[in-house]
């Protein structure tokens, strides 16, 4: 009798273990026949994010977005970057990534022309590529996710107008030969010209992306226009340099500065009140939606349900701009 | 002894039923601590897609994209549309949708100004709203997903140039007073002017979105310019009307037509060879990524992991354009 008891318990256990395992492996079907599980990838599917100047803080949010999407989609990700600002190095890194035949590549192209051939090589090898932050429009990459720089300049202009009560002389410190900076400047200058008749952009100077040279440029402008009310910097080193200039000339209170991006130095200067605002790019969105796009592309090409339309990814995503001031600056340290 | 057996079996059964249910409810944790399931919604979460002129074929692809995303994310969707081309009716429909407090709304706004207040009312009630296909830029909606109409015109111009071997007189039949059509025309005309010196846009006529009026407009242009080589129509009825005109005047072979969108009549005329190409919008992308955006927004606001950046949706998605010719026309009937 005792033996029989053990046999019964054993059989019941086997049955429940079977039932338990069955439900772990199969998608749960509800009584209504609806599939209760979201489509998910395999952890073996590896997606790679490739940058340049890999060490800089600037990429942190994009990598975080890429990782957040990966954990939602249950796929693996890897981060590879050229260490220098060197297109040959980035081409080599990209070649190495292609050789491993990953499930997809999200790339920020250091140079639109020099990377084109290698990007196309990946596409021709059947590896989907999307570009983020810095585009290579002539390549065959499926999509670009980044800031609309002209619109960012427009946002900067409206914020400057609000800070200055819609009047006064202002200047821009930028990198006139780099396309994204030219677009930011154009958006800013054209908005001021067209929408704020009592404001005037009196100078546009080259700060070469360098803190000291931007400080010198700002100092020259302020000496030439002692009634200057504001300066827009199209990149972060410029903003810090201008802040140094206003401080040396004891003009911190008289001149409002709007800068770009959210590195620690810029955020610190917003807390101190020397920089009034900075424009934060949607870097998390770039990483997050890059992976969502690559994953969706692979779903489409691997399932029977594909239609022509769903097989084509959106061409461009404007990942947006938000304004950081002393009111919300703390939130951006967390990013 | 028999009683004891029953008690044992009962207790083991209870234990395994408990274990089984526990694992059904909890996300499965792998031994490596990795969450093995993709984030998924609850079938009770209802997202609503709202259009106007609800009966027309035009919305089918967007609805399909919305539904495809819903089945991947395991959420419910509902389709609501004003039956007429009437902004008051759409406002009423939107009010009814808001009253049911859905998890999110994807709206194609019939009119950017008249819908603004109702869109903002939804946002203020905590219901996320994204716009697709037709924007309301002054509203508080989080994002717009649609065609970049200027770029669509550019694509049309390059295709026309390829069809005509980069030379000859061409015309445009459009709706000059409607913004998206003006943008398509501008992209087309400016590209021809700037990039194809041996081509010339000799006429831009109003077809009023009507097949017969577009036929009349095309007939007038062809009579005025007997050496006309091509016509670009910025909407589908215009394309069909122009095709009728070339047929009546026995000019089907001499004049190439590029049209817009992929309704059955247009696709039929591509198969017959009367229309050379049409520009297909990324309507599936509009619906699919609208729901992905709304879902991601709700995930962010409901989890502890939120960062400032991830809480802000991308501002704009260019859902892309693809070219349909007799080589791929069959694929578009399936959509």
């Amino acid at each position: 009798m005792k033996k029989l008891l053990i046999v019964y318990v054993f059989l019941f256990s086997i049955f429940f273990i079977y039932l338990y395992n069955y439900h772990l492996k199969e998608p749960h079907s509800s009584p209504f026949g609806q599939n209760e599980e979201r489509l998910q990838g395999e952890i073996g599917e590896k997606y790679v994010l490739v940058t340049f100047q890999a060490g800089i803080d600037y990429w942190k949010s994009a990598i975080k977005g890429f990782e957040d999407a990966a954990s939602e989609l249950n796929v693996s990700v890897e981060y590879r970057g050229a260490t220098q600002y060197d297109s040959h190095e980035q081409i080599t890194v990209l070649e190495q990534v292609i050789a491993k035949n990953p499930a997809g590549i999200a790339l920020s192209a250091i140079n639109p022309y020099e990377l084109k051939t290698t990007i196309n090589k990946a596409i021709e090898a059947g590896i989907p590529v999307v570009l983020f932050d810095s585009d290579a429009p002539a390549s065959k990459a499926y999509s670009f996710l980044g800031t609309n720089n002209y619109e960012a300049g427009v946002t900067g202009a409206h914020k400057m107008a609000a800070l200055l009560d819609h009047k006064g002389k202002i200047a821009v410190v930028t990198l006139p030969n780099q396309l994204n900076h030219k677009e930011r400047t154009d958006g800013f200058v054209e908005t001021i010209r067209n929408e704020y008749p009592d404001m005037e952009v009196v100078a546009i100077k080259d700060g070469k992306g360098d803190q000291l040279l931007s400080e010198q440029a700002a100092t020259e402008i302020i000496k030439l226009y002692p009634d200057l009310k504001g300066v827009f910097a199209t990149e972060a080193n410029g903003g810090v340099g201008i802040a140094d200039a206003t401080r040396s000339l004891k003009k911190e209170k008289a001149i409002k500065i709007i800068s770009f991006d959210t590195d620690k130095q810029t955020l610190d200067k917003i807390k101190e009140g020397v920089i009034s605002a900075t424009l934060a790019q949607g870097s998390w969105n770039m990483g997050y939606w890059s992976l969502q796009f690559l994953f969706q592309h692979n779903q489409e090409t691997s399932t029977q349900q594909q239609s022509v339309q769903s097989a084509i990814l959106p061409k461009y995503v404007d990942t947006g701009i938000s304004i950081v001031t002393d009111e919300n600056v703390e939130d951006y340290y967390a990013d």
Side-chain angles (χ1 to χ4, degrees), chain A residues 173 207 209-219 222 231-248 252 257-270 272 274-278:
Chain A
V173 174
D210 180 87
Q211 191 172 325
L212 269 176
L213 294 175
S214 298
E215 184 182 348
Q216 285 171 22
T219 304
I222 296 166
V231 189
F232 175 48
T234 65
E235 55 80 40
N237 291 331
V240 175
I242 299 160
D244 292 342
T246 58
R247 202 164 246 179
S248 308
E252 308 101 290
I257 301 167
I258 296 180
S259 189
F260 220 94
D261 289 329
T262 55
D263 61 298
K264 190 174 174 302
Q265 259 195 305
T266 303
L267 297 178
D268 286 348
K269 290 218 183 303
I270 287 177
E272 293 165 26
V274 197
I275 293 179
S276 299
T278 193

Short mmCIF file of all heavy atoms in Angstrom, two decimals, chain A residues 173 207 209-219 222 231-248 252 257-270 272 274-278:
data_model
loop_
_atom_site.label_atom_id
_atom_site.label_comp_id
_atom_site.label_asym_id
_atom_site.label_seq_id
_atom_site.Cartn_x
_atom_site.Cartn_y
_atom_site.Cartn_z
N VAL A 173 27.82 81.80 -31.89
CA VAL A 173 29.15 81.20 -32.00
C VAL A 173 28.95 79.76 -32.47
O VAL A 173 28.22 78.99 -31.84
CB VAL A 173 29.92 81.27 -30.67
CG1 VAL A 173 31.25 80.50 -30.77
CG2 VAL A 173 30.18 82.72 -30.28
N GLY A 207 33.77 79.40 -33.60
CA GLY A 207 34.43 79.02 -32.35
C GLY A 207 35.22 77.73 -32.49
O GLY A 207 35.85 77.28 -31.55
N GLY A 209 34.53 74.77 -32.33
CA GLY A 209 34.22 73.68 -31.41
C GLY A 209 35.16 73.62 -30.22
O GLY A 209 35.21 72.62 -29.51
N ASP A 210 35.87 74.73 -30.00
CA ASP A 210 36.89 74.75 -28.97
C ASP A 210 36.52 75.79 -27.90
O ASP A 210 36.08 76.89 -28.21
CB ASP A 210 38.24 75.12 -29.62
CG ASP A 210 39.38 75.16 -28.63
OD1 ASP A 210 39.98 74.10 -28.40
OD2 ASP A 210 39.64 76.26 -28.08
N GLN A 211 36.74 75.41 -26.63
CA GLN A 211 36.32 76.27 -25.54
C GLN A 211 37.07 77.61 -25.54
O GLN A 211 36.46 78.68 -25.46
CB GLN A 211 36.59 75.53 -24.22
CG GLN A 211 35.96 76.20 -23.01
CD GLN A 211 36.08 75.32 -21.77
OE1 GLN A 211 36.01 74.09 -21.87
NE2 GLN A 211 36.25 75.94 -20.63
N LEU A 212 38.41 77.56 -25.68
CA LEU A 212 39.22 78.79 -25.63
C LEU A 212 38.96 79.70 -26.82
O LEU A 212 38.82 80.91 -26.67
CB LEU A 212 40.70 78.43 -25.58
CG LEU A 212 41.29 78.28 -24.18
CD1 LEU A 212 42.74 77.84 -24.26
CD2 LEU A 212 41.17 79.61 -23.40
N LEU A 213 38.90 79.09 -28.03
CA LEU A 213 38.66 79.89 -29.23
C LEU A 213 37.26 80.51 -29.20
O LEU A 213 37.06 81.63 -29.67
CB LEU A 213 38.84 79.04 -30.48
CG LEU A 213 40.28 78.54 -30.72
CD1 LEU A 213 40.33 77.59 -31.91
CD2 LEU A 213 41.22 79.73 -30.95
N SER A 214 36.30 79.80 -28.60
CA SER A 214 34.95 80.34 -28.48
C SER A 214 34.93 81.49 -27.47
O SER A 214 34.22 82.48 -27.66
CB SER A 214 33.97 79.24 -28.02
OG SER A 214 33.91 78.21 -28.99
N GLU A 215 35.73 81.36 -26.42
CA GLU A 215 35.83 82.44 -25.43
C GLU A 215 36.38 83.70 -26.11
O GLU A 215 35.84 84.79 -25.93
CB GLU A 215 36.75 82.01 -24.27
CG GLU A 215 36.81 83.06 -23.17
CD GLU A 215 37.76 82.69 -22.03
OE1 GLU A 215 38.21 81.51 -21.97
OE2 GLU A 215 38.06 83.57 -21.21
N GLN A 216 37.46 83.51 -26.91
CA GLN A 216 38.04 84.65 -27.64
C GLN A 216 37.02 85.29 -28.59
O GLN A 216 36.86 86.51 -28.63
CB GLN A 216 39.25 84.19 -28.46
CG GLN A 216 40.49 83.94 -27.61
CD GLN A 216 41.61 83.28 -28.43
OE1 GLN A 216 41.62 83.37 -29.66
NE2 GLN A 216 42.52 82.62 -27.75
N ALA A 217 36.32 84.43 -29.34
CA ALA A 217 35.32 84.94 -30.29
C ALA A 217 34.25 85.74 -29.55
O ALA A 217 33.88 86.86 -29.97
CB ALA A 217 34.68 83.77 -31.04
N ALA A 218 33.76 85.20 -28.43
CA ALA A 218 32.71 85.89 -27.66
C ALA A 218 33.24 87.20 -27.10
O ALA A 218 32.53 88.23 -27.11
CB ALA A 218 32.21 84.98 -26.54
N THR A 219 34.49 87.20 -26.63
CA THR A 219 35.08 88.42 -26.07
C THR A 219 35.13 89.54 -27.12
O THR A 219 34.75 90.68 -26.86
CB THR A 219 36.51 88.13 -25.54
OG1 THR A 219 36.41 87.06 -24.58
CG2 THR A 219 37.12 89.35 -24.87
N ILE A 222 31.59 90.89 -27.73
CA ILE A 222 31.07 91.70 -26.62
C ILE A 222 31.75 93.08 -26.60
O ILE A 222 31.10 94.09 -26.33
CB ILE A 222 31.27 90.97 -25.27
CG1 ILE A 222 30.43 89.67 -25.26
CG2 ILE A 222 30.86 91.85 -24.10
CD1 ILE A 222 30.78 88.70 -24.14
N VAL A 231 23.81 85.31 -26.53
CA VAL A 231 24.62 84.54 -27.48
C VAL A 231 24.08 83.11 -27.55
O VAL A 231 23.75 82.49 -26.52
CB VAL A 231 26.11 84.49 -27.07
CG1 VAL A 231 26.95 83.87 -28.20
CG2 VAL A 231 26.65 85.86 -26.72
N PHE A 232 23.98 82.59 -28.77
CA PHE A 232 23.58 81.20 -29.00
C PHE A 232 24.81 80.42 -29.44
O PHE A 232 25.50 80.82 -30.38
CB PHE A 232 22.50 81.15 -30.09
CG PHE A 232 22.07 79.76 -30.50
CD1 PHE A 232 21.75 78.78 -29.57
CD2 PHE A 232 21.96 79.43 -31.86
CE1 PHE A 232 21.34 77.50 -29.97
CE2 PHE A 232 21.54 78.16 -32.27
CZ PHE A 232 21.24 77.19 -31.31
N ALA A 233 25.13 79.33 -28.72
CA ALA A 233 26.24 78.46 -29.09
C ALA A 233 25.66 77.20 -29.70
O ALA A 233 24.77 76.58 -29.11
CB ALA A 233 27.08 78.11 -27.88
N THR A 234 26.15 76.79 -30.89
CA THR A 234 25.57 75.61 -31.54
C THR A 234 26.24 74.32 -31.07
O THR A 234 25.88 73.24 -31.54
CB THR A 234 25.65 75.70 -33.08
OG1 THR A 234 27.03 75.70 -33.46
CG2 THR A 234 24.96 76.94 -33.61
N GLU A 235 27.21 74.41 -30.17
CA GLU A 235 27.75 73.18 -29.54
C GLU A 235 28.28 73.50 -28.15
O GLU A 235 28.51 74.67 -27.81
CB GLU A 235 28.79 72.49 -30.43
CG GLU A 235 29.95 73.30 -30.88
CD GLU A 235 31.03 73.43 -29.83
OE1 GLU A 235 31.31 72.44 -29.15
OE2 GLU A 235 31.58 74.54 -29.71
N ALA A 236 28.49 72.46 -27.33
CA ALA A 236 28.68 72.62 -25.90
C ALA A 236 29.98 73.34 -25.51
O ALA A 236 29.97 74.18 -24.60
CB ALA A 236 28.62 71.25 -25.22
N ASN A 237 31.11 73.05 -26.18
CA ASN A 237 32.36 73.73 -25.82
C ASN A 237 32.23 75.24 -26.04
O ASN A 237 32.74 76.02 -25.25
CB ASN A 237 33.54 73.21 -26.66
CG ASN A 237 33.89 71.78 -26.30
OD1 ASN A 237 33.69 71.36 -25.15
ND2 ASN A 237 34.40 71.02 -27.26
N GLY A 238 31.53 75.61 -27.12
CA GLY A 238 31.27 77.01 -27.39
C GLY A 238 30.52 77.68 -26.25
O GLY A 238 30.88 78.75 -25.79
N GLY A 239 29.48 77.00 -25.76
CA GLY A 239 28.67 77.54 -24.66
C GLY A 239 29.50 77.81 -23.42
O GLY A 239 29.38 78.87 -22.79
N VAL A 240 30.39 76.86 -23.09
CA VAL A 240 31.24 77.02 -21.90
C VAL A 240 32.23 78.16 -22.11
O VAL A 240 32.46 78.98 -21.21
CB VAL A 240 31.96 75.69 -21.58
CG1 VAL A 240 32.94 75.86 -20.43
CG2 VAL A 240 30.94 74.59 -21.24
N GLY A 241 32.80 78.24 -23.34
CA GLY A 241 33.73 79.32 -23.66
C GLY A 241 33.09 80.70 -23.55
O GLY A 241 33.66 81.63 -22.99
N ILE A 242 31.85 80.80 -24.07
CA ILE A 242 31.14 82.08 -23.99
C ILE A 242 30.87 82.44 -22.53
O ILE A 242 30.99 83.60 -22.12
CB ILE A 242 29.80 82.00 -24.78
CG1 ILE A 242 30.08 81.70 -26.26
CG2 ILE A 242 29.03 83.31 -24.66
CD1 ILE A 242 28.87 81.13 -26.99
N ALA A 243 30.51 81.43 -21.73
CA ALA A 243 30.27 81.66 -20.31
C ALA A 243 31.54 82.21 -19.64
O ALA A 243 31.47 83.14 -18.82
CB ALA A 243 29.83 80.36 -19.63
N ASP A 244 32.71 81.65 -20.01
CA ASP A 244 33.97 82.15 -19.46
C ASP A 244 34.18 83.62 -19.86
O ASP A 244 34.63 84.43 -19.03
CB ASP A 244 35.16 81.30 -19.97
CG ASP A 244 35.12 79.88 -19.41
OD1 ASP A 244 34.43 79.65 -18.39
OD2 ASP A 244 35.80 78.99 -19.98
N ALA A 245 33.84 83.95 -21.11
CA ALA A 245 34.01 85.32 -21.59
C ALA A 245 33.12 86.29 -20.81
O ALA A 245 33.58 87.35 -20.37
CB ALA A 245 33.69 85.40 -23.09
N THR A 246 31.85 85.93 -20.64
CA THR A 246 30.93 86.85 -19.93
C THR A 246 31.39 87.03 -18.47
O THR A 246 31.25 88.11 -17.91
CB THR A 246 29.46 86.36 -19.94
OG1 THR A 246 29.39 85.06 -19.34
CG2 THR A 246 28.91 86.30 -21.34
N ARG A 247 31.94 85.96 -17.90
CA ARG A 247 32.40 86.04 -16.51
C ARG A 247 33.61 86.98 -16.40
O ARG A 247 33.64 87.86 -15.54
CB ARG A 247 32.78 84.64 -16.04
CG ARG A 247 32.75 84.50 -14.55
CD ARG A 247 32.74 83.03 -14.13
NE ARG A 247 31.50 82.67 -13.48
CZ ARG A 247 31.23 81.44 -13.03
NH1 ARG A 247 32.09 80.45 -13.23
NH2 ARG A 247 30.10 81.19 -12.42
N SER A 248 34.58 86.81 -17.31
CA SER A 248 35.79 87.66 -17.29
C SER A 248 35.41 89.13 -17.46
O SER A 248 36.03 90.00 -16.86
CB SER A 248 36.75 87.29 -18.43
OG SER A 248 37.02 85.93 -18.42
N GLU A 252 27.93 88.45 -16.84
CA GLU A 252 27.06 87.26 -16.66
C GLU A 252 25.60 87.63 -16.54
O GLU A 252 24.72 86.90 -16.98
CB GLU A 252 27.39 86.47 -15.38
CG GLU A 252 28.80 86.08 -15.19
CD GLU A 252 29.48 87.02 -14.21
OE1 GLU A 252 29.68 88.19 -14.62
OE2 GLU A 252 29.79 86.60 -13.09
N ILE A 257 22.96 83.26 -22.28
CA ILE A 257 23.59 82.27 -23.16
C ILE A 257 22.66 81.07 -23.33
O ILE A 257 22.12 80.56 -22.35
CB ILE A 257 24.94 81.79 -22.58
CG1 ILE A 257 25.89 82.98 -22.39
CG2 ILE A 257 25.58 80.71 -23.47
CD1 ILE A 257 27.11 82.65 -21.54
N ILE A 258 22.47 80.66 -24.58
CA ILE A 258 21.79 79.38 -24.85
C ILE A 258 22.80 78.47 -25.52
O ILE A 258 23.45 78.86 -26.50
CB ILE A 258 20.55 79.57 -25.74
CG1 ILE A 258 19.49 80.41 -25.02
CG2 ILE A 258 19.96 78.20 -26.12
CD1 ILE A 258 18.23 80.65 -25.82
N SER A 259 22.99 77.28 -24.97
CA SER A 259 23.99 76.35 -25.49
C SER A 259 23.33 75.10 -26.07
O SER A 259 22.11 75.06 -26.26
CB SER A 259 24.98 76.00 -24.38
OG SER A 259 26.06 75.27 -24.91
N PHE A 260 24.14 74.08 -26.35
CA PHE A 260 23.66 72.86 -27.01
C PHE A 260 24.20 71.64 -26.28
O PHE A 260 25.36 71.63 -25.85
CB PHE A 260 24.15 72.85 -28.47
CG PHE A 260 23.14 72.34 -29.44
CD1 PHE A 260 22.31 73.21 -30.11
CD2 PHE A 260 22.98 70.97 -29.65
CE1 PHE A 260 21.35 72.74 -31.00
CE2 PHE A 260 22.02 70.50 -30.53
CZ PHE A 260 21.20 71.38 -31.21
N ASP A 261 23.39 70.61 -26.17
CA ASP A 261 23.76 69.34 -25.53
C ASP A 261 23.88 69.46 -24.00
O ASP A 261 23.80 70.56 -23.45
CB ASP A 261 25.02 68.72 -26.13
CG ASP A 261 24.76 68.18 -27.55
OD1 ASP A 261 23.63 67.75 -27.80
OD2 ASP A 261 25.67 68.21 -28.38
N THR A 262 24.07 68.30 -23.37
CA THR A 262 23.91 68.23 -21.91
C THR A 262 25.09 67.56 -21.21
O THR A 262 24.90 66.71 -20.35
CB THR A 262 22.62 67.46 -21.56
OG1 THR A 262 22.69 66.17 -22.20
CG2 THR A 262 21.38 68.17 -22.00
N ASP A 263 26.31 67.92 -21.62
CA ASP A 263 27.48 67.40 -20.88
C ASP A 263 27.51 68.04 -19.49
O ASP A 263 26.86 69.07 -19.24
CB ASP A 263 28.77 67.70 -21.64
CG ASP A 263 28.96 69.19 -21.82
OD1 ASP A 263 28.10 69.82 -22.48
OD2 ASP A 263 29.92 69.75 -21.27
N LYS A 264 28.31 67.46 -18.59
CA LYS A 264 28.31 67.88 -17.19
C LYS A 264 28.66 69.36 -17.03
O LYS A 264 28.02 70.10 -16.27
CB LYS A 264 29.26 67.01 -16.38
CG LYS A 264 29.12 67.23 -14.88
CD LYS A 264 29.94 66.27 -14.08
CE LYS A 264 29.87 66.64 -12.59
NZ LYS A 264 30.33 68.02 -12.30
N GLN A 265 29.68 69.82 -17.77
CA GLN A 265 30.10 71.23 -17.65
C GLN A 265 28.97 72.20 -17.95
O GLN A 265 28.78 73.19 -17.25
CB GLN A 265 31.24 71.49 -18.64
CG GLN A 265 32.63 71.51 -18.02
CD GLN A 265 33.64 72.14 -18.99
OE1 GLN A 265 33.75 71.68 -20.14
NE2 GLN A 265 34.35 73.15 -18.55
N THR A 266 28.21 71.89 -19.02
CA THR A 266 27.11 72.75 -19.41
C THR A 266 26.02 72.75 -18.33
O THR A 266 25.51 73.81 -17.93
CB THR A 266 26.51 72.28 -20.76
OG1 THR A 266 27.56 72.28 -21.74
CG2 THR A 266 25.38 73.17 -21.22
N LEU A 267 25.69 71.57 -17.84
CA LEU A 267 24.66 71.47 -16.80
C LEU A 267 25.10 72.22 -15.54
O LEU A 267 24.30 72.94 -14.92
CB LEU A 267 24.36 69.99 -16.48
CG LEU A 267 23.79 69.16 -17.64
CD1 LEU A 267 23.57 67.71 -17.20
CD2 LEU A 267 22.48 69.75 -18.17
N ASP A 268 26.38 72.08 -15.17
CA ASP A 268 26.90 72.80 -14.00
C ASP A 268 26.72 74.32 -14.16
O ASP A 268 26.33 75.00 -13.23
CB ASP A 268 28.39 72.49 -13.80
CG ASP A 268 28.62 71.08 -13.24
OD1 ASP A 268 27.62 70.46 -12.80
OD2 ASP A 268 29.77 70.61 -13.25
N LYS A 269 27.01 74.80 -15.38
CA LYS A 269 26.91 76.24 -15.61
C LYS A 269 25.46 76.72 -15.64
O LYS A 269 25.18 77.89 -15.39
CB LYS A 269 27.63 76.62 -16.91
CG LYS A 269 29.16 76.48 -16.81
CD LYS A 269 29.88 77.58 -17.55
CE LYS A 269 31.39 77.41 -17.50
NZ LYS A 269 31.97 77.35 -16.15
N ILE A 270 24.53 75.80 -15.96
CA ILE A 270 23.11 76.17 -15.86
C ILE A 270 22.72 76.29 -14.39
O ILE A 270 22.04 77.24 -13.98
CB ILE A 270 22.23 75.12 -16.60
CG1 ILE A 270 22.40 75.29 -18.12
CG2 ILE A 270 20.76 75.29 -16.22
CD1 ILE A 270 21.65 74.29 -18.94
N GLU A 272 24.68 77.09 -11.97
CA GLU A 272 25.30 78.33 -11.47
C GLU A 272 24.60 79.58 -12.01
O GLU A 272 24.85 80.68 -11.52
CB GLU A 272 26.78 78.40 -11.89
CG GLU A 272 27.66 77.33 -11.26
CD GLU A 272 29.00 77.22 -12.00
OE1 GLU A 272 29.44 78.20 -12.63
OE2 GLU A 272 29.59 76.12 -11.97
N VAL A 274 25.02 80.80 -15.09
CA VAL A 274 25.83 81.50 -16.10
C VAL A 274 25.32 81.20 -17.51
O VAL A 274 25.35 82.05 -18.39
CB VAL A 274 27.33 81.11 -15.99
CG1 VAL A 274 28.18 82.12 -16.73
CG2 VAL A 274 27.76 80.97 -14.56
N ILE A 275 24.86 79.96 -17.72
CA ILE A 275 24.18 79.62 -18.97
C ILE A 275 22.69 79.55 -18.65
O ILE A 275 22.29 78.92 -17.66
CB ILE A 275 24.71 78.29 -19.55
CG1 ILE A 275 26.18 78.44 -20.00
CG2 ILE A 275 23.85 77.80 -20.71
CD1 ILE A 275 26.82 77.17 -20.56
N SER A 276 21.87 80.21 -19.48
CA SER A 276 20.43 80.27 -19.18
C SER A 276 19.69 78.99 -19.57
O SER A 276 18.74 78.59 -18.91
CB SER A 276 19.78 81.44 -19.91
OG SER A 276 20.37 82.65 -19.50
N ALA A 277 20.10 78.41 -20.69
CA ALA A 277 19.39 77.22 -21.18
C ALA A 277 20.30 76.45 -22.12
O ALA A 277 21.26 77.00 -22.68
CB ALA A 277 18.12 77.63 -21.92
N THR A 278 20.01 75.16 -22.28
CA THR A 278 20.71 74.39 -23.30
C THR A 278 19.70 73.50 -24.01
O THR A 278 18.64 73.17 -23.46
CB THR A 278 21.89 73.57 -22.71
OG1 THR A 278 22.71 73.10 -23.78
CG2 THR A 278 21.40 72.38 -21.89
#
